[in-house]
Amino acid sequence: MKLRSCDCYCQLFFESFRIFAEVSSKMMGLFKFSSILAVFILLDVASALYFHIAEGERKCFIEEIPDDTTVIVNYKVELYDPRSGGFMPSTPGIGMHVEVRDRDDKIVLSRVYSSEGMISFTSTTPGEHVICMYSNSTSWFSGSQLRVHLDIQVGEHAVDYANVAQKDKLTELQLRIRQLLDQVHQITKEQSYQRHREERFRQTSESTNQRVLWWSLLQTGVLVGIGYWQMRHLKSFFEAKKLV
Amino acid sequence: MFVTPVIFTIFASLINGILSKSVELTFELPDSAVECFYQEIEKNTSAALEYQVITGGQYDVDVKIEAPNKQILYQQQKMQYDSHQFTAQQTGVYKVCFSNEFSTFSHKLVYMEFNVGPEKPLPGIGEHATVLTQLETSAEEIHSALNRIIDHQTHHRLREAQSRKRAEDLNERVFWWSLGETFAIMCVALAQVMILKNFFSDRPTLYNRK
């Protein structure tokens, strides 16, 4: 049902644009491309994956990314409306607190955003980045349910090629090559990060190996030592008791 | 005209934005919790779900995909990783649920990728009527090959993450177990001596009372 309304919206959008263009094509040139793009992004997030959280509940997502990688998070929050039994499309009172932490638990980003928005950040250290979202709970809304539309795009997926083509005046082929380059860069970054992680993995395994080895040696020593002590102690005990 | 291609591009990308969606999420699944995600899918659009438990417990999770008419399209119990592809029979909201209800104390980390529809084409490509040149065809091929590489890389990254977490777990366990074991051996050794001595002592004790 929501999809249909969205479709209608698109058609309306298109139709109105056409009429607008027919009436004054000169005016259209003045119309900022970026604002059209902004509308497109907002419309886009409404068709994204969504989930439900309770008011004030914290929801975290983990992105394991190499360094120097851009992550774009698009979200939209809708509040459950008990009167209509549906979700209100826009709720001005609700804000979302977004927090991004890197591997060392250092805060990369921590801000309160409105009920709808786009967050982007670029990683400086490789590793697990935790993106947490929670609504700024107000006493009026507490206990009610929120529907969160979420779209997280990482690396090359985060690039808006329509924008790039427009800005750099690229031909189709140039744009395609640009995309290929971006992909290759991402693969390279991922691979170098993979090497780091493999190193960590190897270190852990070697540490386990060392521990097992030393522990077994130590344990043998402990066993021999204790056995010897037991025998000596009991022998002296029996001798003192005159049992042997 | 300058305006028409711009509008067309926007319109095309708008439609594509609705038709094709790909999202990758890694989320925490607390003990005895259910996490559901919803996605609108249009009729006859193919969708693919891929998931893997990265860490926690026995690395397993219950997964269910439900169609808008409550029909269960896919259901698996205690799976470590899997993927499932289906074509939407009707337009509506599809529900994907990950459940950790069977587990009372293990907290899990689950990765999932949900792809809906074909990949969003680049703006401008596929709009011209002429046949693709050889260069364009090869670029297209390289693009799909790179996409496959990225997919494989993701797969390996996850398997590596899983193994690494397991190895870290093992390392920790070895450490604590060895400490415990050493302590246990010492206790047993002392106790053995004490009990043995008690057998032969003159005073009546718990062990040699007649």
Side-chain angles (χ1 to χ4, degrees):
Chain A
M1 195 223 132
K2 225 171 94 271
L3 201 119
R4 202 176 302 138
S5 73
C6 194
D7 236 341
C8 277
Y9 198 24
C10 301
Q11 268 179 10
L12 214 123
F13 205 69
F14 180 55
E15 205 58 32
S16 65
F17 260 120
R18 226 188 41 164
I19 294 160
F20 193 56
E22 273 169 11
V23 170
S24 59
S25 59
K26 267 185 190 168
M27 279 265 291
M28 197 56 208
L30 296 169
F31 203 87
K32 272 191 187 139
F33 188 73
S34 59
S35 65
I36 305 170
L37 267 179
V39 172
F40 151 61
I41 285 162
L42 293 185
L43 272 175
D44 200 21
V45 75
S47 67
L49 191 87
Y50 67 83
F51 54 90
H52 296 128
I53 57 170
E55 180 90 19
E57 195 188 329
R58 206 181 155 92
K59 193 91 209 142
C60 292
F61 294 97
I62 298 156
E63 289 292 334
E64 188 153 30
I65 47 171
D67 59 340
D68 196 27
T69 303
T70 306
V71 177
I72 291 184
V73 183
N74 265 302
Y75 74 92
K76 186 183 173 195
V77 186
E78 292 172 327
L79 183 75
Y80 180 71
D81 187 7
R83 281 188 299 269
S84 66
F87 285 86
M88 288 191 261
S90 68
T91 329
I94 288 276
M96 274 310 242
H97 194 114
V98 182
E99 203 180 85
V100 181
R101 285 170 184 277
D102 68 1
R103 187 183 51 185
D104 311 315
D105 238 14
K106 216 172 71 204
I107 291 174
V108 178
L109 188 146
S110 174
R111 268 178 66 185
V112 179
Y113 291 87
S114 65
S115 65
E116 190 165 348
M118 188 182 95
I119 304 138
S120 87
F121 66 92
T122 305
S123 60
T124 48
T125 51
E128 286 179 352
H129 284 65
V130 182
I131 303 163
C132 286
M133 305 177 92
Y134 52 95
S135 61
N136 56 344
S137 201
T138 49
S139 52
W140 306 321
F141 294 125
S142 61
S144 64
Q145 226 187 12
L146 293 172
R147 174 182 281 186
V148 183
H149 294 263
L150 186 75
D151 184 23
I152 299 179
Q153 296 296 341
V154 181
E156 170 263 331
H157 288 293
V159 180
D160 185 0
Y161 286 103
N163 211 348
V164 171
Q166 190 72 18
K167 211 172 70 190
D168 297 353
K169 308 230 170 353
L170 298 177
T171 64
E172 286 163 29
L173 196 60
Q174 282 170 327
L175 190 66
R176 174 61 86 189
I177 301 292
R178 171 71 73 91
Q179 192 190 28
L180 290 181
L181 267 177
D182 286 345
Q183 280 185 309
V184 171
H185 279 311
Q186 204 202 333
I187 291 170
T188 319
K189 270 191 275 188
E190 183 75 45
Q191 265 179 3
S192 66
Y193 175 44
Q194 195 70 43
R195 277 175 62 170
H196 281 288
R197 301 194 327 155
E198 195 271 338
E199 203 177 307
R200 214 179 101 196
F201 191 176
R202 191 152 33 82
Q203 275 168 6
T204 309
S205 298
E206 270 166 18
S207 156
T208 309
N209 185 29
Q210 289 285 315
R211 280 180 180 181
V212 167
L213 176 76
W214 286 111
W215 179 74
S216 57
L217 285 182
L218 186 85
Q219 203 67 288
T220 314
V222 166
L223 276 176
V224 170
I226 280 179
Y228 181 69
W229 173 79
Q230 277 187 333
M231 286 306 112
R232 258 180 57 121
H233 187 84
L234 285 176
K235 197 178 159 211
S236 63
F237 173 74
F238 290 144
E239 276 166 2
K241 286 271 169 194
K242 299 197 170 53
L243 283 167
V244 281
Chain B
M1 280 290 279
F2 162 71
V3 180
T4 327
V6 170
I7 293 175
F8 189 81
T9 310
I10 294 162
F11 188 60
S13 56
L14 241 147
I15 292 299
N16 286 328
I18 289 159
L19 286 182
S20 84
K21 272 283 144 203
S22 162
V23 71
E24 286 178 41
L25 291 176
T26 308
F27 57 94
E28 288 175 44
L29 194 61
D31 47 276
S32 45
V34 185
E35 196 70 65
C36 289
F37 295 95
Y38 305 82
Q39 173 78 61
E40 278 186 27
I41 304 176
E42 273 198 56
K43 195 177 173 179
N44 293 331
T45 310
S46 72
L49 173 79
E50 202 181 329
Y51 62 89
Q52 186 177 333
V53 183
I54 297 172
T55 184
Q58 297 295 308
Y59 301 81
D60 51 2
V61 72
D62 290 354
V63 185
K64 195 166 81 176
I65 304 176
E66 214 177 275
N69 58 355
K70 304 279 173 216
Q71 187 202 340
I72 290 166
L73 296 174
Y74 170 85
Q75 188 167 27
Q76 285 293 334
Q77 281 178 350
K78 303 203 172 182
M79 284 301 277
Q80 289 196 349
Y81 60 92
D82 198 19
S83 59
H84 180 67
Q85 199 159 16
F86 63 94
T87 306
Q89 297 298 321
Q90 52 182 300
T91 303
V93 176
Y94 284 72
K95 182 172 157 189
V96 179
C97 283
F98 294 89
S99 159
N100 197 14
E101 271 174 315
F102 58 86
S103 167
T104 44
F105 59 89
S106 62
H107 172 102
K108 280 162 193 168
L109 209 60
V110 182
Y111 163 86
M112 75 142 192
E113 184 181 2
F114 201 42
N115 279 317
V116 179
E119 194 203 350
K120 190 150 97 183
L122 281 176
I125 286 178
E127 278 166 25
H128 57 133
T130 53
V131 183
L132 292 177
T133 62
Q134 209 161 11
L135 197 57
E136 280 169 324
T137 328
S138 348
E140 201 77 35
E141 269 168 26
I142 296 171
H143 175 63
S144 59
L146 288 179
N147 271 342
R148 260 204 314 279
I149 292 176
I150 290 174
D151 277 355
H152 286 196
Q153 220 173 27
T154 308
H155 183 74
H156 279 129
R157 193 186 70 207
L158 290 169
R159 298 312 301 270
E160 194 265 352
Q162 193 187 40
S163 315
R164 185 160 38 86
K165 294 229 153 94
R166 225 180 250 244
E168 275 164 17
D169 244 26
L170 179 69
N171 190 9
E172 196 111 316
R173 277 189 209 172
V174 164
F175 176 72
W176 288 111
W177 185 64
S178 56
L179 273 189
E181 184 92 348
T182 309
F183 184 70
I185 286 178
M186 293 206 183
C187 284
V188 167
L190 274 177
Q192 270 183 345
V193 173
M194 291 304 158
I195 291 166
L196 212 59
K197 274 165 86 173
N198 269 335
F199 285 153
F200 300 101
S201 65
D202 304 328
R203 283 172 288 126
T205 63
L206 194 67
Y207 302 104
N208 61 359
R209 227 176 280 157
K210 289 266 163 72

